[in-house]
Amino acid sequence: MKIAVFVKQVPDSAAKITVENGVVSWGDAPLVINPWDEYAVEAALLLAEKHGGEVTAYSLGDENAKEALKHALAMGCQQAVLISDPALANADTAAVARALAAAAQKDGAELALFGKQAIDWDSGVTPSMTARVLGWPALSLVAAVPALDPAGKTIKVERAIEEGRQVVESRLPAALSIVKDYAEPRYPSFMGIRKAAQAQIPSWTLADLGISAPANTVETLGISAPPAREVSNEIITGDSPADIAAKLVDKIIGEGVL
Amino acid sequence: MDFQLTEEHRMVQNMVREFTHKEVIPVIKEWDRKQEMAPFILPRMAELGILGINIPVRYGGQGFDYISLGLVCEELEVADTTLRVVMSVHMGLNSMALLQWGTEEQKQKFLVPQAKGEKYACFGLTEPGAGSDVAGMKGTARREGDEYVLNGEKMWISLASKAHHALVVMRTNPDVDPHDGLSAFILELDRPGVKTGDIHGKMGVRAGSTGWISMQDVRVPAENRLGEEGEGFKIAMSCLDNGRYTVAAGATGLVRASLEASVKYAHERKAFGKEIGQFQLVQQKIAYMMQSYEAARLLYLKSGWMKNQGQRNTKETSLAKWYATDASFEAASEAIQVHGAYGFSDEYDVERYLRNSKGGVIYEGTSEIHQIMQAGYALGYRQDAELRCELPAYDAEYWQAQG
């Protein structure tokens, strides 16, 4: 079966993000593959290893996004495709979902995997919106896939929800967003690194995808940094660890934290 | 002149950094306190292919170049010196010697399992009474028919108690110039008569294995001799060209670790109403660390580039090793100063950096030995004679072919 996994290039989680005059900057911090997407790549590779099939990684963005794709290739994806078009430069989530859906369809994917969210905008809705465009079931927050039947076109997943695990069965094709519990992402292998470094990654424009420029549905009116919060530190002392712990508990309850 | 790392290089760096940040850095302090090598380190490095990074694929390695080896060593030592030491002995001093001097049979028998990480390797040159004075070693190998009989003791041997194979240099002829009477042997450490053990109470590299190898009437087949009889000194010196390269790259990583820790702390710590990074004397320390990091990096990368080209690099590697290890000691000491009293405690990593940096200015040629070497080159007293077997230049096609 064909598995599509969607990855995004984002600023490193350790980057110091600043907002000035409505412009977000991460300085000279490196761009990396969205950490949540690494779990999606891992899930895609594990599913392909267990049930057969091949995994193609897609990323929407400019040339820089190829870094994320190369990371996915080095982890073991068979192919990678960049979706890049000037008309997508300021695309919102709905517009992005249309482009990603077109890519999944063009490739004949039967499973579309996503990280549960991207650490830059944190909207967390791209998987569901892409599923909506495709008309596929959206299986969000997937922590495990206990059963997958490519021939019978069914999939059973465990969703990690606040109350615990919810087991859901669905038809294929389907779109899944993957959470951390699924499996620890593998490191790129040295052989994978060589393959990725030598790979020529094709770029698909909107014309290649056979769609016109999707319209944004959301207009960003302004961006501002959250107000700085006053923080004070207090070191709790006591005669014994038990005494310190008791004082700490009193503090936590007293401050209404719990 | 191209100072740009290739995409492959950067991805190798990132991969090793990801490994150390996820698996090593969170736990290394505890292993350093326990003065034990974490049992997962060697198998994990093997599994990830790190132990064969720059060995051709046909010999079980990953087929990357010598610069990649340097970059790996830099990343490993940012986490802890003990990981880089693994590369120094397993790869620099042993596996690369097999690649350079070994027969095809020796490569198949010893190099392939080492590059695959199925066997670990170490290097035995130093003796209790012979360090810098290599030719003064006492350990002997006596020829008896198709075998050699080894007797002696090797000291300060990294991975002595963990390795399966050791490359040992022994005296085979006491009647000639001491430099011409040495020979090198591949010694399987499970042979009868071999004993190994760890040395405790070290100042640094506490999360690593440093030990001794004792040989009493150890019989080794003649096919285990590396190179010709009497070639041991030259082989040992060529091993050091590779070992010192890994030390130089690693020490560069230690400078970087001290720099990064100091920058972080200089932003966090406030004194007299502002963060201490605002004070010029703290800035000066950080500026020197920047300076030495960049210089050390250029020196080791040049040495790696020369190895890639197949150029003799004894002089350049010695300079890189001398400079980087001295710089790492200085940087770690100044990093403690930036951290003030906290730097004096093991709550922060910088005191470990200082303890670990001290070994680097002693092993694989003390700083004093390297000064004598550099002066010798400058004054024209020292020239590098051609070797019968030079380290092969990196040829991507050959390195990456299955063979």
Side-chain angles (χ1 to χ4, degrees):
Chain A
M1 71 184 311
K2 284 194 165 186
I3 302 175
V5 59
F6 294 94
V7 300
K8 190 176 185 185
Q9 184 85 333
V10 297
D12 191 281
S13 57
K16 196 174 178 188
I17 305 291
T18 56
V19 182
E20 230 172 284
N21 301 323
V23 178
V24 180
S25 168
W26 50 89
D28 56 2
L31 292 167
V32 297
I33 185 172
N34 173 39
W36 293 109
D37 296 344
E38 286 188 83
Y39 292 95
V41 173
E42 181 63 32
L45 294 172
L46 288 174
L47 288 171
E49 283 160 12
K50 188 168 177 189
H51 301 283
E54 59 179 40
V55 181
T56 303
Y58 297 88
S59 188
L60 187 153
D62 58 19
E63 282 291 305
N64 287 323
K66 283 187 176 172
E67 293 276 321
L69 290 171
K70 292 207 166 181
H71 188 96
L73 282 174
M75 284 176 74
C77 292
Q78 280 79 24
Q79 288 101 29
V81 177
L82 178 72
I83 303 164
S84 192
D85 195 296
L88 292 168
N90 294 305
D92 69 3
T93 312
V96 166
R98 289 194 182 280
L100 301 188
Q105 250 166 352
K106 179 179 162 78
D107 204 25
E110 289 169 278
L111 267 180
L113 268 60
F114 299 79
K116 86 175 178 93
Q117 66 200 81
I119 64 165
D120 51 0
W121 293 105
D122 275 323
S123 78
V125 294
T126 306
S128 304
M129 291 180 97
T130 308
R132 172 72 181 83
V133 176
L134 287 162
W136 294 1
L139 305 171
S140 59
L141 309 177
V142 172
V145 176
L148 174 67
D149 180 1
K153 304 279 182 205
T154 59
I155 185 170
K156 188 190 278 186
V157 304
E158 284 181 23
R159 299 182 62 234
I161 56 176
E162 270 190 26
E163 294 80 3
R165 291 286 175 100
Q166 183 186 50
V167 180
V168 178
E169 200 169 52
S170 163
R171 61 180 165 80
L172 289 177
L176 280 61
S177 76
I178 305 294
V179 296
K180 251 176 141 172
D181 298 9
Y182 198 102
E184 190 62 28
R186 65 195 71 184
Y187 303 122
S189 69
F190 287 124
M191 293 302 172
I193 286 172
R194 177 164 311 118
K195 179 184 148 199
Q198 292 169 355
Q200 296 297 319
I201 295 177
S203 287
W204 288 356
T205 61
L206 288 173
D208 294 325
L209 293 172
I211 59 171
S212 53
N216 281 357
T217 52
V218 174
E219 187 185 353
T220 303
L221 299 176
I223 300 172
S224 56
R229 278 184 299 183
E230 282 296 316
V231 178
S232 64
N233 299 320
E234 183 184 342
I235 294 174
I236 297 170
T237 56
D239 297 332
S240 64
D243 183 32
I244 294 169
K247 285 182 184 170
L248 178 62
V249 169
D250 288 346
K251 275 267 174 206
I252 289 171
I253 293 170
E255 296 284 338
V257 177
L258 288 178
Chain B
M1 191 175 288
D2 186 2
F3 286 99
Q4 194 84 359
L5 293 179
T6 64
E7 187 160 30
E8 210 170 86
H9 289 143
R10 283 186 282 114
M11 290 180 86
V12 166
Q13 262 182 325
N14 287 338
M15 179 269 195
V16 177
R17 192 174 300 169
E18 206 180 333
F19 157 60
T20 55
H21 279 253
K22 276 190 184 161
E23 299 184 34
V24 181
I25 291 174
V27 299
I28 195 66
K29 196 179 290 182
E30 287 311 310
W31 290 102
D32 186 82
R33 279 184 184 145
K34 280 195 234 178
Q35 303 200 33
E36 277 177 44
M37 186 170 196
F40 74 87
I41 293 285
L42 283 168
R44 195 72 178 117
M45 286 173 76
E47 187 184 11
L48 294 173
I50 296 172
L51 296 184
I53 177 76
N54 59 302
I55 298 297
V57 171
R58 71 185 67 216
Y59 294 125
Q62 302 295 332
F64 284 74
D65 67 355
Y66 300 114
I67 287 178
S68 300
L69 169 65
L71 296 170
V72 166
C73 289
E74 180 182 331
E75 289 308 320
L76 291 175
E77 192 151 357
V78 169
D80 196 61
T81 302
T82 53
L83 275 78
R84 191 271 305 152
V85 167
V86 169
M87 295 307 286
S88 292
V89 297
H90 175 88
M91 175 60 73
L93 293 165
N94 189 312
S95 299
M96 285 172 74
L98 299 185
L99 183 67
Q100 181 170 355
W101 296 91
T103 62
E104 186 57 29
E105 291 73 25
Q106 288 171 335
K107 286 175 186 164
Q108 292 299 335
K109 188 172 177 188
F110 299 108
L111 180 57
V112 169
Q114 288 178 198
K116 286 181 176 173
E118 294 164 356
K119 303 280 185 191
Y120 309 136
C122 67
F123 180 71
L125 182 66
T126 302
E127 296 186 351
S132 298
D133 178 18
V134 173
M137 70 171 56
K138 298 277 187 277
T140 59
R142 190 180 69 248
R143 179 91 189 220
E144 280 189 11
D146 290 339
E147 292 180 325
Y148 285 89
V149 182
L150 276 52
N151 280 286
E153 190 162 358
K154 298 292 177 185
M155 190 76 173
W156 302 110
I157 309 304
S158 301
L159 297 189
S161 65
K162 312 283 183 204
H164 304 91
H165 303 154
L167 181 59
V168 293
V169 181
M170 312 294 283
R171 183 165 306 288
T172 42
N173 188 346
D175 303 324
V176 295
D177 180 295
H179 295 89
D180 299 329
L182 306 180
S183 303
F185 298 90
I186 304 161
L187 172 64
E188 299 100 323
L189 292 171
D190 57 357
R191 284 193 176 274
V194 176
K195 283 185 187 161
T196 62
D198 280 326
I199 296 168
H200 297 285
K202 292 174 294 177
M203 174 184 178
V205 288
R206 290 182 170 182
S209 153
T210 314
W212 49 266
I213 302 171
S214 161
M215 293 159 279
Q216 262 198 325
D217 295 325
V218 179
R219 294 190 165 270
V220 174
E223 62 256 30
N224 277 30
R225 192 189 66 223
L226 188 69
E228 304 292 336
E229 200 168 285
E231 227 171 13
F233 185 81
K234 286 179 184 154
I235 291 174
M237 293 302 114
S238 74
C239 290
L240 291 176
D241 283 353
N242 299 326
R244 286 167 179 168
Y245 172 63
T246 62
V247 176
T252 307
L254 198 48
V255 177
R256 195 178 99 208
S258 295
L259 170 64
E260 287 173 353
S262 299
V263 167
K264 185 169 183 284
Y265 192 77
H267 279 309
E268 288 168 1
R269 175 75 178 182
K270 289 193 170 61
F272 306 103
K274 52 186 176 183
E275 62 183 42
I276 62 169
Q278 298 282 346
F279 295 105
Q280 288 186 336
L281 285 176
V282 172
Q283 290 178 0
Q284 184 191 46
K285 295 179 194 310
I286 287 169
Y288 275 124
M289 289 181 211
M290 280 287 287
Q291 181 193 47
S292 57
Y293 172 65
E294 291 296 337
R297 192 164 184 276
L298 287 173
L299 287 172
Y300 94 70
L301 286 175
K302 181 182 176 189
S303 176
W305 177 83
M306 291 178 77
K307 286 181 194 294
N308 276 356
Q309 303 301 313
Q311 295 176 12
R312 186 66 177 274
N313 54 87
T314 305
K315 181 176 91 172
E316 291 75 11
T317 303
S318 153
L319 184 61
K321 191 270 178 188
W322 167 37
Y323 181 79
T325 54
D326 274 7
S328 71
F329 182 65
E330 185 65 24
S333 176
E334 289 294 71
I336 292 177
Q337 203 68 14
V338 170
H339 283 69
Y342 286 106
F344 195 62
S345 96
D346 72 357
E347 186 184 338
Y348 285 84
D349 292 324
V350 286
E351 64 84 33
R352 178 166 51 86
Y353 297 161
L354 180 68
R355 288 188 287 103
N356 284 348
S357 71
K358 190 59 192 171
V361 297
I362 297 170
Y363 50 64
E364 303 217 26
T366 61
S367 291
E368 291 77 7
I369 287 282
H370 291 292
Q371 289 165 38
I372 290 166
M373 285 175 71
Q374 294 304 319
Y377 285 118
L379 290 161
Y381 300 156
R382 184 184 179 96
Q383 279 104 31
D384 294 321
E386 210 169 295
L387 296 172
R388 187 174 61 79
C389 301
E390 297 285 357
L391 183 70
Y394 179 71
D395 173 349
E397 203 177 315
Y398 176 84
W399 247 247
Q400 292 165 18
Q402 292 292 337

